[in-house]
Amino acid sequence: MFGEYGLYCDGKFFAVILDNRLFIKVTDRVKEIYSDLNEVHEYGAPHHFLIEDVDDREKLTEIVRVTCEALPEKMKRKKS
C-alpha cells in the first residue's frame, strides 16, 4: 500500500495525498475537460493527475465529481 492518505467518494478510491501533493486517478472524461492537467507516474502507482492548484475550489470540485462519476461502482465482496 501507500504511506500517506487515500481519498474515497461513495466507497470509490479516487485520490491520494503523498508528500503534501494531491494525485487524482486519471479518467478519460477528466482528460477531455481539463487538458491542462499533468499526468504523472510516481510511487509505482498507476497514472494520476497531479493537482497543483488546490486553491481553485470550483475546478477541484468539478474534477473530483467527474472522476468519481467515471469510476466503476465498488465491487461487493463475496462472503465465504
Side-chain angles (χ1 to χ4, degrees), residues 21-44:
R21 297 183 299 165
L22 176 61
F23 298 89
I24 294 182
K25 285 187 175 184
V26 171
T27 62
D28 289 337
R29 184 69 181 130
V30 173
K31 271 186 183 182
E32 291 172 13
I33 298 170
Y34 297 102
S35 60
D36 63 322
L37 293 178
N38 294 322
E39 192 172 334
V40 296
H41 319 275
E42 293 190 27
Y43 303 101

Side-chain angles (χ1 to χ4, degrees), residues 1-65:
M1 297 265 328
F2 53 92
E4 295 196 32
Y5 301 95
L7 303 178
Y8 292 81
C9 176
D10 296 328
K12 298 176 185 180
F13 181 74
F14 74 94
V16 294
I17 298 173
L18 299 166
D19 296 330
N20 294 318
R21 297 183 299 165
L22 176 61
F23 298 89
I24 294 182
K25 285 187 175 184
V26 171
T27 62
D28 289 337
R29 184 69 181 130
V30 173
K31 271 186 183 182
E32 291 172 13
I33 298 170
Y34 297 102
S35 60
D36 63 322
L37 293 178
N38 294 322
E39 192 172 334
V40 296
H41 319 275
E42 293 190 27
Y43 303 101
H47 304 249
H48 284 78
F49 292 120
L50 172 58
I51 308 300
E52 298 182 82
D53 185 7
V54 295
D55 294 324
D56 185 342
R57 293 168 65 176
E58 288 180 17
K59 182 177 180 180
L60 182 56
T61 299
E62 182 69 4
I63 292 169
V64 169
R65 184 187 65 75

